[in-house]
Amino acid sequence: MDFTTQLLIAAISAGTPLLLATLGGILTERAGIIQLGAEGLMLMGAVTTCIVYIRSGNLILALLSAVAITALLGMVHSFLCVTLRANQTMSGLAMTLFGSGLSAYVGKSISGIPLPGSLPKLDLEILKPVPVLGELFGRLDMLTWFSLLLVLVLHLLIHHTSWGLHLRAVGDNPATADVMGIRVQLIRYCYVTAGAALIGLAGADMVLAYAPTWNEGLTAGRGWIAVGLVIFARWNPLRALFCAYFFGALDSLGFRIQLLGSAVPSYFLKMIPYVVTILVLMYLGYRNRNKPSGTPESLGTPYIREQRF
Amino acid sequence: MSPKPGNESATLPPLAGRSGRWYSLRLEYDSSRTRSPWWTPILSVVLALLLCAVFIAANGMSPLVVYEKMFRGAFGTSYGFTETMVKAIPLLLCGLGIAVAYRISVWNIGAEGQLTVGAMAATAVTIYFPDLSSFWSIALMLVFGTAAGALWGLMTAVPRTHFGVNELITSLMLNYVALLALDYVVFGPWKDPKGFNFPGSPMFTAAQSLPVLGSTRLHIGLIFGLVAVLIYYLMIRFTRWGYELRLIGANPTAARYAGIHIKKHIIIVMLISGGLAGIAGMAEVSGVTHKLMQGISPGYGYTAIIVAWLAKLNPLGLIVTSILFGGLIVGGYSVQTIGLPSSISEMLQGAILFFLIAGDMIHRFRIRRSA
């Protein structure tokens, strides 16, 4: 296997958690709610998966409980932001702080214990003879296939169904959506919760496919990179696929270069994804300075219907 | 509390029987009530303690024992109290910086990185100018630390003002960059040759260490913090610059029409914000650890966000909350003796912030009798 194929495999493996988290962020933000709690949600998803998987040995149960716990946290976020109309930035920061604290606290007992198994891989015999693709797609695990499917489903949902139209209406102009008879608050609750669950699944994927054990602060800022990727992908699931794999490649590039025996200290190679995130966002900001950025128009502003007495 | 469509404010079921003709209650939202009452911060701390008590109990410990241990560790002994004050210094400096930036809605969550580069720059002085007199080495460390923090702040401000990049993401990414740079210097070029291969810079000499008060570990960084708070109060209250900040904070559109250069102010507040965090980093290496090493900050930059919020950007409030959270950090360490992780304090901090932002909004809802 040559360097490029290895890098591609590593890019997909490192990119899948980013992709899931970005898709979760897109869903949340399309409904008009900022999601800055991604880091905390990923950590909670990861630690829940580890605890349940180690205690019960059942992978499906572990994934389901990770999704359930983070969906619950998503509901807390939507209660604060939708019902109480609280500051969405602050609520997200609180989620990140609380998530990293709680995950470190409950994860202390299982820290460093290897998981009993990893994600089952789908062996596709049909693809084996194809030169590069066979190598590539023959080794993808369950969650990677799920994330690829999800990209397609979300693309169709957002751009080609009436549900998606409602979602975009709620994110762009909730007052008009309300007049049209769309249940603005209900839709916001649903998508914020679903988005949080996806971000939790991203955390689960991270421990299952990427890091073999739970460690405190395991995500190392990948939740925040996903927040940046949502902007990078301009709230579009198809673009999210390419952005996430691009960053997955950057993430693993440093490690690969190190294996080749480069003279650059590994610390600088590890900085690549963070620095590139900033540079890419700056480039996008510069290029789109006179164009609409694709941001849902009412992102971050709570919707207040006028009151009747 | 699922929202009911068709009802603008969630209506409570009528109290008197089915009809509700005589007496019914409804929740009503009043956006004009922006000043939350003084007791919301206190209530949110209490509620956060109760919430975390559930998690502690679920882990098989008695919450009362744990909280008593934490309180006694932080405030019960004179040693504990000085430790609390030592931790309060970086929180006060970083929290002040965050408060200044937040005045005009600039979200600096990069205090952690700004503190780290401040500490690194101060250490650079000890390594490249080892033989300065006490006064000059401290002064130079202070200047370098402030400048490095301010530069790190500038790297967040310029993408925001000139490229429209959200400062939250930039400042957070820079935190990771700063921590990796710290790892590089303590494992690489600045590693103490006599340090038994332990990652860390050589020990500072007495001339490179901040003077301490009496025989305690409390250093004069405390004075830096208090002076900075005083200057903040005077500047905001009595200068034209402070007035412009207050105006931008109250109504950015009106401020722009009044001819105030908002981009310039964003850059200025981020320079101040980063500079203050840089001072905190300098004080931490020079006053507490006396050498540069990994983990010089147990998340001061993040805790300082809550410190600033809990204080509602009020100077006196900043002093009180930074001592409270210093105590929380020390209390978190002291429960380690009964086998609990210190991340319990981080969990409490997140919970406090949750209740605080909820409390700020809940009081805007009024229960009204209707019909």
Side-chain angles (χ1 to χ4, degrees):
Chain A
M1 222 190 308
D2 60 343
F3 183 76
T4 326
T5 320
Q6 274 186 343
L7 186 65
L8 278 174
I9 291 170
I12 293 178
S13 142
T16 303
L18 288 176
L19 176 59
L20 285 167
T22 309
L23 291 176
I26 288 175
L27 274 190
T28 312
E29 302 208 343
R30 277 276 182 182
I33 305 289
I34 303 175
Q35 178 57 283
L36 293 176
E39 181 80 3
L41 288 169
M42 275 180 85
L43 283 167
M44 282 309 293
V47 79
T48 315
T49 313
C50 284
I51 291 177
V52 176
Y53 200 13
I54 287 172
R55 293 274 154 81
S56 74
N58 186 337
L59 178 63
I60 301 296
L61 188 68
L63 287 176
L64 285 180
S65 37
V67 166
I69 293 279
T70 45
L72 198 69
L73 287 170
M75 280 184 191
V76 173
H77 186 59
S78 35
F79 175 69
L80 285 168
C81 298
V82 179
T83 304
L84 292 183
R85 298 151 194 172
N87 185 321
Q88 297 175 9
T89 307
M90 264 337 219
S91 173
L93 280 182
M95 184 77 75
T96 292
L97 279 170
F98 184 70
S100 42
L102 183 60
S103 64
Y105 179 70
V106 297
K108 193 81 178 172
S109 58
I110 51 139
S111 179
I113 301 176
L115 295 177
S118 66
L119 286 167
K121 294 199 162 134
L122 296 183
D123 265 329
L124 297 176
E125 289 298 329
I126 315 164
L127 283 173
K128 279 280 155 68
V130 189
V132 180
L133 289 180
E135 293 264 20
L136 218 56
F137 286 94
R139 329 175 144 254
L140 299 188
D141 57 49
M142 212 171 67
L143 270 178
T144 311
W145 281 111
F146 173 72
S147 68
L148 288 173
L149 189 68
L150 201 65
V151 168
L152 201 63
V153 170
L154 288 187
H155 170 71
L156 293 176
L157 173 83
I158 292 176
H159 297 285
H160 298 282
T161 65
S162 60
W163 287 358
L165 190 64
H166 290 182
L167 170 64
R168 284 182 288 150
V170 165
D172 281 333
N173 196 335
T176 312
D178 198 8
V179 174
M180 282 162 62
I182 299 171
R183 302 170 167 195
V184 174
Q185 298 201 318
L186 180 70
I187 285 193
R188 286 193 162 171
Y189 260 84
C190 290
Y191 282 102
V192 172
T193 308
L198 273 183
I199 298 171
L201 199 60
D205 184 52
M206 192 126 194
V207 279
L208 287 168
Y210 199 64
T213 60
W214 164 257
N215 280 307
E216 200 179 315
L218 159 121
T219 51
R222 282 186 184 73
W224 287 100
I225 292 185
V227 173
L229 282 179
V230 172
I231 302 170
F232 189 16
R234 302 176 74 186
W235 294 268
N236 180 330
L238 288 182
R239 281 175 208 261
L241 180 73
F242 297 106
C243 299
Y245 287 165
F246 173 63
F247 270 80
L250 282 181
D251 212 353
S252 38
L253 189 65
F255 185 60
R256 299 279 144 187
I257 292 176
Q258 212 186 326
L259 284 188
L260 291 179
S262 144
V264 184
S266 63
Y267 309 103
F268 293 110
L269 298 174
K270 282 187 198 155
M271 285 178 194
I272 294 174
Y274 308 115
V275 175
V276 171
T277 306
I278 299 174
L279 293 179
V280 161
L281 290 175
M282 281 170 74
Y283 168 69
L284 283 181
Y286 176 74
R287 204 190 61 184
N288 298 333
R289 64 198 178 285
N290 297 322
K291 277 192 274 179
S293 63
T295 321
E297 272 161 36
S298 67
L299 183 65
T301 34
Y303 173 56
I304 304 169
R305 194 192 250 183
E306 280 182 40
Q307 282 177 345
R308 255 187 281 140
F309 286 93
Chain B
M1 286 295 276
S2 86
K4 288 213 172 64
N7 274 352
E8 51 288 282
S9 44
T11 311
L12 292 178
L15 285 186
R18 269 183 66 214
S19 72
R21 258 184 76 189
W22 303 299
Y23 190 66
S24 74
L25 295 177
R26 73 184 328 173
L27 272 177
E28 186 178 282
Y29 182 76
D30 181 355
S31 56
S32 65
R33 304 174 95 189
T34 47
R35 284 184 75 91
S36 46
W38 58 270
W39 43 262
T40 47
I42 299 169
L43 188 66
S44 43
V45 172
V46 172
L47 286 175
L49 285 173
L50 285 176
L51 176 71
C52 291
V54 176
F55 289 111
I56 295 169
N59 223 21
M61 301 290 287
S62 156
L64 269 182
V65 173
V66 173
Y67 287 152
E68 200 240 40
K69 185 94 188 160
M70 284 179 80
F71 184 79
R72 199 167 285 208
F75 298 105
T77 62
S78 68
Y79 172 76
F81 188 68
T82 29
E83 277 305 290
T84 297
M85 294 302 288
V86 168
K87 302 272 182 264
I89 295 167
L91 290 178
L92 180 60
L93 285 162
C94 293
L96 185 63
I98 289 165
V100 172
Y102 184 65
R103 283 234 157 234
I104 59 170
S105 297
V106 173
W107 303 91
N108 177 20
I109 55 172
E112 186 81 2
Q114 292 147 11
L115 182 146
T116 306
V117 293
M120 282 165 63
T123 310
V125 174
T126 68
I127 287 183
Y128 297 112
F129 308 100
D131 301 318
L132 293 175
S133 71
S134 173
F135 173 79
W136 283 111
S137 67
I138 297 287
L140 208 59
M141 284 165 86
L142 197 57
V143 170
F144 268 60
T146 316
L151 181 75
W152 219 245
L154 189 69
M155 281 164 65
T156 302
V158 171
R160 158 82 194 260
T161 53
H162 292 78
F163 298 91
V165 181
N166 189 329
E167 71 277 12
L168 277 159
I169 298 171
T170 323
S171 57
L172 202 103
M173 295 286 112
L174 287 174
N175 284 351
Y176 290 99
V177 174
L179 287 177
L180 284 167
L182 173 72
D183 283 356
Y184 169 66
V185 293
V186 297
F187 279 101
W190 294 355
K191 189 155 88 176
D192 185 4
K194 298 190 283 292
F196 303 104
N197 230 4
F198 187 78
S201 74
M203 220 48 186
F204 290 8
T205 60
Q208 292 157 346
S209 303
L210 284 179
V212 291
L213 306 176
S215 59
T216 61
R217 263 161 54 90
L218 195 57
H219 53 89
I220 62 157
L222 184 64
I223 314 287
F224 298 166
L226 294 177
V227 169
V229 169
L230 186 68
I231 295 175
Y232 165 74
Y233 172 74
L234 295 176
M235 294 285 275
I236 290 290
R237 196 67 197 275
F238 297 110
T239 64
R240 181 193 161 127
W241 175 75
Y243 171 72
E244 290 187 350
L245 279 197
R246 280 185 286 152
L247 188 57
I248 299 172
N251 190 338
T253 321
R256 212 176 63 237
Y257 285 128
I260 294 174
H261 203 320
I262 294 187
K263 284 185 178 177
K264 188 185 80 186
H265 277 286
I266 290 177
I267 290 180
I268 293 174
V269 293
M270 277 309 296
L271 283 174
I272 296 175
S273 196
L276 283 168
I279 296 177
M282 178 268 167
E284 201 62 16
V285 279
S286 175
V288 182
T289 59
H290 302 298
K291 66 174 187 175
L292 190 68
M293 54 185 189
Q294 276 187 304
I296 41 166
S297 160
Y300 290 132
Y302 301 110
T303 307
I305 301 169
I306 314 174
V307 166
W309 257 71
L310 202 62
K312 304 205 169 300
L313 318 182
N314 173 310
L316 206 61
L318 274 169
I319 297 175
V320 176
T321 50
S322 49
I323 294 173
L324 178 71
F325 277 80
L328 201 54
I329 294 174
V330 175
Y333 287 137
S334 62
V335 292
Q336 285 179 320
T337 55
I338 50 172
L340 281 174
S342 66
S343 49
I344 192 169
S345 74
E346 215 176 317
M347 182 169 87
L348 265 170
Q349 291 169 21
I352 290 173
L353 193 55
F354 264 131
F355 285 110
L356 192 67
I357 55 176
D360 276 350
M361 300 309 290
I362 277 180
H363 80 100
R364 293 193 191 179
F365 290 88
R366 273 196 284 203
I367 299 174
R368 271 266 175 101
R369 270 167 66 167
S370 66

PDB file of all heavy atoms in Angstrom, chain B residues 2 29 42 73 93 105 118 161 252 259 338 350 367:
ATOM      1  N   SER B   2     -42.354  21.663  26.820  1.00  0.00           N
ATOM      2  CA  SER B   2     -42.312  21.721  25.365  1.00  0.00           C
ATOM      3  C   SER B   2     -43.208  22.863  24.901  1.00  0.00           C
ATOM      4  O   SER B   2     -44.263  23.096  25.471  1.00  0.00           O
ATOM      5  CB  SER B   2     -42.770  20.403  24.778  1.00  0.00           C
ATOM      6  OG  SER B   2     -44.157  20.402  24.662  1.00  0.00           O
ATOM      7  N   TYR B  29     -43.511  37.195  28.916  1.00  0.00           N
ATOM      8  CA  TYR B  29     -42.108  37.553  28.702  1.00  0.00           C
ATOM      9  C   TYR B  29     -41.988  39.062  28.568  1.00  0.00           C
ATOM     10  O   TYR B  29     -42.705  39.688  27.812  1.00  0.00           O
ATOM     11  CB  TYR B  29     -41.604  36.878  27.427  1.00  0.00           C
ATOM     12  CG  TYR B  29     -40.151  37.133  27.141  1.00  0.00           C
ATOM     13  CD1 TYR B  29     -39.169  36.470  27.864  1.00  0.00           C
ATOM     14  CD2 TYR B  29     -39.765  38.025  26.153  1.00  0.00           C
ATOM     15  CE1 TYR B  29     -37.830  36.695  27.598  1.00  0.00           C
ATOM     16  CE2 TYR B  29     -38.432  38.254  25.887  1.00  0.00           C
ATOM     17  CZ  TYR B  29     -37.467  37.581  26.618  1.00  0.00           C
ATOM     18  OH  TYR B  29     -36.144  37.793  26.347  1.00  0.00           O
ATOM     19  N   ILE B  42     -25.984  34.061  43.298  1.00  0.00           N
ATOM     20  CA  ILE B  42     -25.929  33.221  44.497  1.00  0.00           C
ATOM     21  C   ILE B  42     -26.807  31.986  44.307  1.00  0.00           C
ATOM     22  O   ILE B  42     -26.397  30.851  44.575  1.00  0.00           O
ATOM     23  CB  ILE B  42     -26.385  34.031  45.728  1.00  0.00           C
ATOM     24  CG1 ILE B  42     -25.451  35.221  45.919  1.00  0.00           C
ATOM     25  CG2 ILE B  42     -26.431  33.158  46.973  1.00  0.00           C
ATOM     26  CD1 ILE B  42     -25.930  36.233  46.919  1.00  0.00           C
ATOM     27  N   GLY B  73     -10.842  22.642  52.616  1.00  0.00           N
ATOM     28  CA  GLY B  73      -9.555  22.700  51.920  1.00  0.00           C
ATOM     29  C   GLY B  73      -9.259  24.094  51.386  1.00  0.00           C
ATOM     30  O   GLY B  73      -8.114  24.540  51.359  1.00  0.00           O
ATOM     31  N   LEU B  93      -6.874  38.467  36.867  1.00  0.00           N
ATOM     32  CA  LEU B  93      -6.282  39.144  35.711  1.00  0.00           C
ATOM     33  C   LEU B  93      -6.951  38.697  34.410  1.00  0.00           C
ATOM     34  O   LEU B  93      -7.339  39.520  33.572  1.00  0.00           O
ATOM     35  CB  LEU B  93      -4.776  38.885  35.664  1.00  0.00           C
ATOM     36  CG  LEU B  93      -3.953  39.673  36.692  1.00  0.00           C
ATOM     37  CD1 LEU B  93      -2.581  39.050  36.872  1.00  0.00           C
ATOM     38  CD2 LEU B  93      -3.817  41.122  36.252  1.00  0.00           C
ATOM     39  N   SER B 105     -19.021  43.078  23.489  1.00  0.00           N
ATOM     40  CA  SER B 105     -19.431  41.793  22.903  1.00  0.00           C
ATOM     41  C   SER B 105     -18.356  41.144  22.059  1.00  0.00           C
ATOM     42  O   SER B 105     -18.654  40.571  21.018  1.00  0.00           O
ATOM     43  CB  SER B 105     -20.703  41.948  22.070  1.00  0.00           C
ATOM     44  OG  SER B 105     -21.746  42.350  22.886  1.00  0.00           O
ATOM     45  N   GLY B 118       2.287  34.295  27.507  1.00  0.00           N
ATOM     46  CA  GLY B 118       2.848  35.258  28.461  1.00  0.00           C
ATOM     47  C   GLY B 118       3.894  34.593  29.342  1.00  0.00           C
ATOM     48  O   GLY B 118       4.994  35.128  29.559  1.00  0.00           O
ATOM     49  N   THR B 161     -11.716  41.609  12.720  1.00  0.00           N
ATOM     50  CA  THR B 161     -12.024  42.923  12.179  1.00  0.00           C
ATOM     51  C   THR B 161     -11.837  42.982  10.667  1.00  0.00           C
ATOM     52  O   THR B 161     -12.600  43.647   9.979  1.00  0.00           O
ATOM     53  CB  THR B 161     -11.133  43.998  12.822  1.00  0.00           C
ATOM     54  OG1 THR B 161      -9.782  43.595  12.699  1.00  0.00           O
ATOM     55  CG2 THR B 161     -11.469  44.206  14.268  1.00  0.00           C
ATOM     56  N   PRO B 252     -24.453  49.148  19.413  1.00  0.00           N
ATOM     57  CA  PRO B 252     -23.372  49.256  18.434  1.00  0.00           C
ATOM     58  C   PRO B 252     -23.767  50.099  17.218  1.00  0.00           C
ATOM     59  O   PRO B 252     -22.936  50.842  16.682  1.00  0.00           O
ATOM     60  CB  PRO B 252     -23.103  47.807  18.023  1.00  0.00           C
ATOM     61  CG  PRO B 252     -23.930  46.949  18.866  1.00  0.00           C
ATOM     62  CD  PRO B 252     -24.847  47.767  19.686  1.00  0.00           C
ATOM     63  N   GLY B 259     -19.949  57.943  14.978  1.00  0.00           N
ATOM     64  CA  GLY B 259     -18.592  58.126  14.499  1.00  0.00           C
ATOM     65  C   GLY B 259     -17.544  57.369  15.290  1.00  0.00           C
ATOM     66  O   GLY B 259     -16.354  57.664  15.189  1.00  0.00           O
ATOM     67  N   ILE B 338      -9.448  12.134  49.154  1.00  0.00           N
ATOM     68  CA  ILE B 338     -10.392  11.045  49.410  1.00  0.00           C
ATOM     69  C   ILE B 338     -10.731  10.316  48.109  1.00  0.00           C
ATOM     70  O   ILE B 338     -11.788   9.726  47.969  1.00  0.00           O
ATOM     71  CB  ILE B 338     -11.673  11.549  50.123  1.00  0.00           C
ATOM     72  CG1 ILE B 338     -12.259  12.760  49.398  1.00  0.00           C
ATOM     73  CG2 ILE B 338     -11.392  11.875  51.566  1.00  0.00           C
ATOM     74  CD1 ILE B 338     -13.613  13.172  49.939  1.00  0.00           C
ATOM     75  N   GLY B 350     -19.117  24.502  35.125  1.00  0.00           N
ATOM     76  CA  GLY B 350     -20.042  24.440  33.996  1.00  0.00           C
ATOM     77  C   GLY B 350     -21.484  24.546  34.464  1.00  0.00           C
ATOM     78  O   GLY B 350     -22.297  25.267  33.880  1.00  0.00           O
ATOM     79  N   ILE B 367     -45.252  35.993  36.191  1.00  0.00           N
ATOM     80  CA  ILE B 367     -46.527  35.295  36.281  1.00  0.00           C
ATOM     81  C   ILE B 367     -47.610  36.356  36.405  1.00  0.00           C
ATOM     82  O   ILE B 367     -47.559  37.208  37.273  1.00  0.00           O
ATOM     83  CB  ILE B 367     -46.550  34.338  37.484  1.00  0.00           C
ATOM     84  CG1 ILE B 367     -45.452  33.301  37.318  1.00  0.00           C
ATOM     85  CG2 ILE B 367     -47.895  33.676  37.608  1.00  0.00           C
ATOM     86  CD1 ILE B 367     -45.293  32.398  38.497  1.00  0.00           C
TER      87      ILE B 367
END
